[in-house]
Amino acid sequence: MFRIGHGYDVHRLSEGRKLILGGVEIPHTVGLLGHSDADVLVHAIMDSMLGALALGDIGHFFPDTDEKYKGADSMKLLGEVCHICREQGYKIGNIDATVIAQAPKLAPYVMQMRENIAAVCGCEVSQIGVKATTEEKLGFTGEKLGISAHAVALMTENI
Ligand code: ZN
């Protein structure tokens, strides 16, 4: 038995914020704005996992109105989502995610992101796919106003 889910997230780029993607702090002139650390990649991944099990989204589990999650480390939240999925009897089959950012170049950081996510989820790096692309200077990502991320998760029954 397996189930598939999709996740999508966007955060605005802002001065005076850190840029954290896949748990990697990336040197850049601006960072992502959000209640938590605004790790848009990890947010999309968590939504894809929860979506696969029809459990809703991360806003339901970690509301941004809750002071507890102010500045939260999204990798810790990912660990909680993995726990929730295990309780439902599911584990990750594989995840495929795409980060859409005009800048900076993300390729040098992709392997570290995959390793971070796999470590928290207790799976192999080969089960976690991360890709980075631009939108050819078009739209809000192209104009460097924000960064978006898509993710698809295949969750398999934990027999
Ligand atoms: Zn988010």
Side-chain angles (χ1 to χ4, degrees), residues 8-11 33-34 36 38-44 47 58 74:
Y8 175 67
D9 195 28
V10 174
H11 282 267
L33 193 61
S36 68
D39 189 329
V40 68
L41 169 61
V42 172
H43 291 184
D47 272 354
I58 52 172
S74 295

Side-chain angles (χ1 to χ4, degrees), residues 27-102:
H28 196 40
T29 51
V30 286
L32 293 172
L33 193 61
H35 187 68
S36 68
D37 64 5
D39 189 329
V40 68
L41 169 61
V42 172
H43 291 184
I45 287 173
M46 290 191 282
D47 272 354
S48 71
M49 295 168 68
L50 293 170
L53 304 184
L55 294 174
D57 62 19
I58 52 172
H60 171 72
F61 289 93
F62 315 115
D64 64 7
T65 49
D66 191 335
E67 276 300 304
K68 197 170 124 188
Y69 300 114
K70 191 163 161 43
D73 177 352
S74 295
M75 299 303 283
K76 288 213 176 92
L77 304 183
L78 177 62
E80 290 188 38
V81 167
C82 289
H83 180 72
I84 291 164
C85 292
R86 268 195 302 276
E87 280 186 334
Q88 296 286 317
Y90 280 84
K91 62 180 180 188
I92 291 170
N94 75 295
I95 285 170
D96 183 26
T98 304
V99 183
I100 303 163
Q102 190 64 42

